[in-house]
Each structure stands twice: as structure tokens, then as C-alpha cells.
Amino acid sequence: MELNLNVWKRGNQRAVHKPLLLLYALSQYQKGHDRFFSYKEIDEPLKDLLIEFGPYRKSHHPEYPFWRLQNDGIWELKNHEHAQPRSSNTDAKKSELLKYDVAGGLTQIEFDAIVSNQDKMARAIGELLEQFFPETIHDDIVDALDIQEYLNKPHKRDPNFRQKVLTAYGYKCAICGFDCRLGHASIGLEAAHIKWHQSKGPSTVDNGIAMCALHHKAFDRGVFTITYDLKLSVS
Ligand SMILES: [Zn+2]
């Protein structure tokens, strides 16, 4: 059985809360964790992941994916029967999750299918990374979680995308103007997708922007975004 990862794709939104929860759980399973995690133990590390790899927010809510992932049929909770919902919603408040020591984990079926098989688990981790996170931050996530992953490299892409975008931008970083060449080869310049490749942004020149490696990474980490009229918006 495969994790059904497509359920959380909504337009261009970076819906990374559930993928980060799953990546965290899988990373712990790789280290021998049993099926259930108490909310108390997951709150802090998941919050750190949301801050580091999620979209910019004033406050972070690791309790949302912890509760809502059960709707996707691959995650189940226990001790949650008495947890009171937030007034505005059907999911429980963080204080209730802590009060009743609510625990969550992959369903027995998913756990048996994935966790018993190291190779399958590494593939599931690779798939989560590929579907929900830009390539430039895969290594950062792998380092942060200390996980073994299997990534399907190289990606299928328009092989001319980089060349076309760099040409359109005159071989300069659109942010800082960096241009470094060695002979005819351009060094440290990359073609970034304005709308993420992972959220089905096309590999076409009008969806591309030339950036130096540093700005490309900052962009993919959500430090700034590009609006449709090509203005910078810094978070
Ligand atoms: Zn730059």
C-alpha cells in the first residue's frame, strides 16, 4: 500500500504541515519508535520543522496536522474521545491534546506496510520530499531529521529550461545582479521556478527566474516570494 500523498495538494498552496508530520514520524520509525507518538513529544520538534520549512506564519500549530491527518485514512489517534474541539472547528485544542495525553501514529495497515520495509520507507520519504518541497532544501530537511531517503534523481525536466531562463535574464541573478562566468560557462547561477515545480508550476520561461544559488535557496525556503507583477515580497 502506498501513502496517498496527493490528497493535500490544493492549488499552489504549500500544504506542508501534514508532509512534515509524516516525515517526522517516519524519521522516528527509522530509529525504532513504536507506532504511536504522544502529542506532548511531537509538539516541539514539529513546531521547529514548521518554523524552518513551512510557510511564514505569525504562530505555528503542530496540533492541526496531528489531528487532521486522521481524515486522510492513514493516521489514527487514541485517547482523543474526550478532547474538546476548538469553538470554530472540529479539531481539538492543543491544551486538550495535552490534557488527555492524545497519541497519534500511522494506522496499523500503513505501519506494517511501510515501517517493516526499510526500502519502502526510504522511498516514501523520498516521495514526500519530491512532492512537497523544492529540491534545494531536500538536503536541509534530511539533515534536520537525520533520515535515510531514496530520491528518484535525476528529475524529468525540460533540459533547456535553465538555458532559456538564464538567457532571458541576461545571465544575472534577478535579485542581486550576480554574474560569474568561467569562459562561457556561468557559475552559481540557477533557473528557479516562480511557481514551484512541485506544485505543478511549468518549466517555461515565463515561470522561470534567474537567481544565484544563495538567492535561489532563500527563495525556496520562503524568505521572499515573487508576486505576479514580478515584485519582491519579503516575509
Ligand atoms: Zn543573488
Side-chain angles (χ1 to χ4, degrees):
M1 185 176 280
E2 297 282 317
L3 289 172
N4 187 6
L5 305 176
N6 292 314
V7 267
W8 316 310
K9 283 194 179 170
R10 260 183 252 119
N12 312 333
Q13 263 196 322
R14 289 175 65 185
V16 297
H17 289 68
K18 288 172 178 178
L20 282 174
L21 169 60
L22 276 173
L23 283 170
Y24 178 77
L26 291 173
S27 75
Q28 296 304 303
Y29 289 149
Q30 273 188 338
K31 298 175 181 74
H33 198 287
D34 56 4
R35 190 158 70 88
F36 281 98
F37 300 85
S38 72
Y39 181 74
K40 201 198 301 181
E41 69 169 303
I42 231 166
D43 178 64
E44 207 52 48
L46 185 55
K47 188 173 173 182
D48 289 345
L49 290 172
L50 289 171
I51 291 169
E52 197 167 355
F53 301 112
Y56 176 78
R57 293 278 186 276
K58 284 207 174 71
S59 58
H60 291 274
H61 295 280
E63 71 273 24
Y64 291 176
F66 188 82
W67 185 270
R68 294 173 189 172
L69 190 56
Q70 53 176 333
N71 299 328
D72 296 292
I74 57 172
W75 183 258
E76 66 178 316
L77 297 179
K78 61 179 187 183
N79 308 334
H80 62 298
E81 299 80 5
H82 302 292
Q84 295 295 316
R86 290 180 295 137
S87 54
S88 59
N89 222 312
T90 54
D91 45 350
K93 287 187 276 191
K94 182 193 270 196
S95 56
E96 295 283 306
L97 298 179
L98 293 169
K99 180 175 166 189
Y100 292 101
D101 194 23
V102 176
L106 283 182
T107 59
Q108 190 72 58
I109 291 171
E110 295 290 349
F111 185 83
D112 291 345
I114 288 171
V115 178
S116 61
N117 184 329
Q118 290 293 330
D119 192 51
K120 239 183 186 171
M121 186 142 69
R123 277 171 203 280
I125 290 167
E127 207 176 315
L128 282 163
L129 289 171
E130 281 167 4
Q131 288 204 27
F132 295 97
F133 302 92
E135 211 174 321
T136 52
I137 67 171
H138 287 173
D139 287 346
D140 296 340
I141 297 175
V142 167
D143 286 349
L145 288 170
D146 187 23
I147 38 175
Q148 307 297 317
E149 94 294 353
Y150 179 87
L151 288 165
N152 283 312
K153 285 175 179 167
H155 294 281
K156 258 193 288 169
R157 289 197 168 169
D158 175 359
N160 299 317
F161 176 67
R162 177 174 184 273
Q163 207 55 46
K164 287 180 195 158
V165 171
L166 296 193
T167 304
Y169 281 82
Y171 287 86
K172 281 186 179 135
C173 172
I175 313 300
C176 67
F178 173 85
D179 67 336
C180 174
R181 292 189 204 193
L182 196 63
H184 290 292
S186 177
I187 311 290
L189 261 192
E190 300 170 355
H193 289 80
I194 295 175
K195 184 178 159 194
W196 278 9
H197 199 61
Q198 278 77 1
S199 47
K200 299 245 189 294
S203 287
T204 52
V205 175
D206 57 358
N207 188 44
I209 184 167
M211 286 186 197
C212 66
L214 184 68
H215 279 120
H216 188 185
K217 193 158 189 172
F219 177 60
D220 281 350
R221 289 283 287 260
V223 175
F224 60 90
T225 53
I226 310 274
T227 60
Y228 281 106
D229 50 349
L230 290 179
K231 293 211 172 90
L232 280 187
S233 162
V234 180
S235 68

